[in-house]
Amino acid sequence: DAVFKHPYVKCLLNLARERVKAALAELPQDDQWLICVRTYGRPGFPPHLWDLRRALLRFWRQGNVDGVFDTLEKVGINTVDKLVTELKDIDALLKKAKGVGHKLSKAGLQQLSA
């Protein structure tokens, strides 16, 4: 999996291994067991927001995605389903974005809706 090749993720995995090893070392030799809980989300955003962000990354560079993501959140779009619905009327979406003091690219939204 490409995610596990990223240096940051490798670092997190090494830290997790060290913590598990340290926790097990504190237990009696004949009673070493540990319950590990794995979460599938990412810290900071609920899963539906990660889905939306991932969808945006297909069409915008990382630097631009942050601004687009923030704008969409400010106009109440926080799921892919809501984005799909709003993209049915791009002009209305552009007007909403302008209303919260942000600008979205009409061409970008058209590409996203295609």
Side-chain angles (χ1 to χ4, degrees), residues 61-102:
R61 292 186 317 271
Q62 176 66 45
N64 296 344
V65 166
D66 294 335
V68 172
F69 186 75
D70 291 343
T71 300
L72 293 177
E73 272 198 309
K74 285 190 167 112
V75 298
I77 299 172
N78 57 9
T79 66
V80 174
D81 290 338
K82 284 184 183 179
L83 177 60
V84 168
T85 299
E86 292 291 330
L87 285 172
K88 291 177 182 173
D89 188 350
I90 290 174
D91 290 327
L93 179 53
L94 290 169
K95 191 174 183 177
K96 285 180 185 179
K98 189 176 181 182
V100 295
H102 291 268

Side-chain angles (χ1 to χ4, degrees), residues 5-94:
K5 293 179 183 175
H6 191 280
Y8 180 73
V9 175
K10 284 182 177 181
C11 178
L12 290 175
L13 287 170
N14 286 334
L15 289 172
R17 285 184 186 112
E18 289 174 19
R19 289 181 70 185
V20 168
K21 187 177 178 180
L24 289 173
E26 293 176 9
L27 298 172
Q29 190 69 26
D30 61 340
D31 193 25
Q32 289 190 340
W33 60 275
L34 186 66
I35 296 174
C36 296
V37 177
R38 180 175 180 204
T39 61
Y40 292 92
R42 304 274 199 275
F45 292 114
H48 66 278
L49 291 179
W50 277 110
D51 291 342
L52 177 58
R53 193 169 184 81
R54 208 173 7 259
L56 295 174
L57 281 169
R58 292 186 198 133
F59 297 95
W60 279 284
R61 292 186 317 271
Q62 176 66 45
N64 296 344
V65 166
D66 294 335
V68 172
F69 186 75
D70 291 343
T71 300
L72 293 177
E73 272 198 309
K74 285 190 167 112
V75 298
I77 299 172
N78 57 9
T79 66
V80 174
D81 290 338
K82 284 184 183 179
L83 177 60
V84 168
T85 299
E86 292 291 330
L87 285 172
K88 291 177 182 173
D89 188 350
I90 290 174
D91 290 327
L93 179 53
L94 290 169

